Amino acid sequence: MISLLVIIAFVIGIYFLLKAFGLTDISKEEIRDIVSKAGIWAPLAYIIVSFLQVTFIPIPGMVSILAGTLLFEPWEAFLYSLIGMFLGGSVGFYLGRVLGKKFVYWVAGDKQKVDDYLEKIKGRETVLLFFMFLFPFFPDDLLCSVAGISKIKFSTFSIIQFVTRITSIGCTILVYGGDLIPLDSSWGIWVIAGLSILGIIA
């Protein structure tokens, strides 16, 4: 809760700072032009945020991915998100494997929650982790660490991560990014709502 409040305060502060400089009324193309002038530092900063989102900062993956679609071209947002989230997931896995259950209990803040996840995936690690990573309803940071203290191999975990990250990031950018399905039209909103419902049913 403290982390969440800090993030909300930070976002609100950034918003009013941008508003004070008249930067809240600019278009997506103008935002991308400003970001491109930062050179390599903008992609690097975004990759770091994507990395931290999977490890230490409780930001939903969809939020960071959609932020990327505002800052970069769709293929760039996809690539940078994939790099950051894959590296973050790998580090989270090894933190769980090296530091053990005590670390994972600390990440979760709830020993019972971790034990429940371990019980649910016991003997079915590959299949269940695949679907948990595929859908945005599960905490990535905790799942990576839980995978680290499970019996799953890192090679298998890496394949699961790679496939699910490509799928989830790609779908998020295509559906919600606004480049393929316009968010400022009624039919676009209905299409997105329908796809969201289908995703929840799946």
Side-chain angles (χ1 to χ4, degrees):
M1 287 301 297
I2 292 172
S3 300
L4 185 61
L5 290 173
V6 169
I7 292 166
I8 291 172
F10 179 76
V11 170
I12 292 173
I14 291 293
Y15 170 77
F16 282 109
L17 181 64
L18 293 174
K19 190 173 182 179
F21 286 97
L23 297 176
T24 54
D25 298 323
I26 61 177
S27 66
K28 183 186 290 187
E29 288 71 25
E30 290 173 318
I31 292 174
R32 290 175 179 174
D33 286 339
I34 293 171
V35 170
S36 66
K37 293 176 182 177
I40 194 174
W41 298 108
L44 185 60
Y46 180 74
I47 289 172
I48 291 172
V49 170
S50 297
F51 171 88
L52 293 174
Q53 175 262 315
V54 185
T55 49
F56 302 110
I57 303 177
I59 303 173
M62 183 178 288
V63 173
S64 63
I65 294 168
L66 292 180
T69 63
L70 285 174
L71 301 174
F72 308 101
E73 295 296 329
W75 69 269
E76 293 175 317
F78 173 84
L79 180 62
Y80 302 150
S81 295
L82 180 62
I83 293 171
M85 295 174 80
F86 185 84
L87 290 176
S90 300
V91 169
F93 178 92
Y94 270 110
L95 285 173
R97 183 135 297 184
V98 173
L99 300 179
K101 282 188 177 182
K102 287 185 178 181
F103 169 77
V104 184
Y105 291 154
W106 176 78
V107 170
D110 185 350
K111 179 178 181 295
Q112 188 60 45
K113 182 188 292 185
V114 174
D115 291 338
D116 287 344
Y117 270 121
L118 286 173
E119 186 62 31
K120 287 175 183 176
I121 68 173
K122 187 177 181 180
R124 300 173 293 175
E125 291 89 351
T126 302
V127 173
L128 290 183
L129 283 173
F130 179 88
F131 284 105
M132 285 179 172
F133 278 118
L134 188 62
F135 294 107
F137 315 115
F138 301 95
D140 282 5
D141 52 348
L142 179 57
L143 281 179
C144 292
S145 298
V146 168
I149 59 176
S150 71
K151 294 182 179 180
I152 194 170
K153 294 180 180 178
F154 178 71
S155 57
T156 305
F157 174 78
S158 297
I159 293 171
I160 290 172
Q161 255 217 115
F162 189 70
V163 173
T164 55
R165 298 294 186 198
I166 285 177
T167 306
S168 61
I169 294 170
C171 287
T172 300
I173 290 174
L174 288 174
V175 175
Y176 299 102
D179 290 290
L180 181 66
I181 302 174
L183 300 176
D184 55 355
S185 67
S186 58
W187 73 267
I189 298 298
W190 280 108
V191 169
I192 290 173
L195 290 173
S196 299
I197 291 170
L198 288 176
I200 292 169
I201 292 171

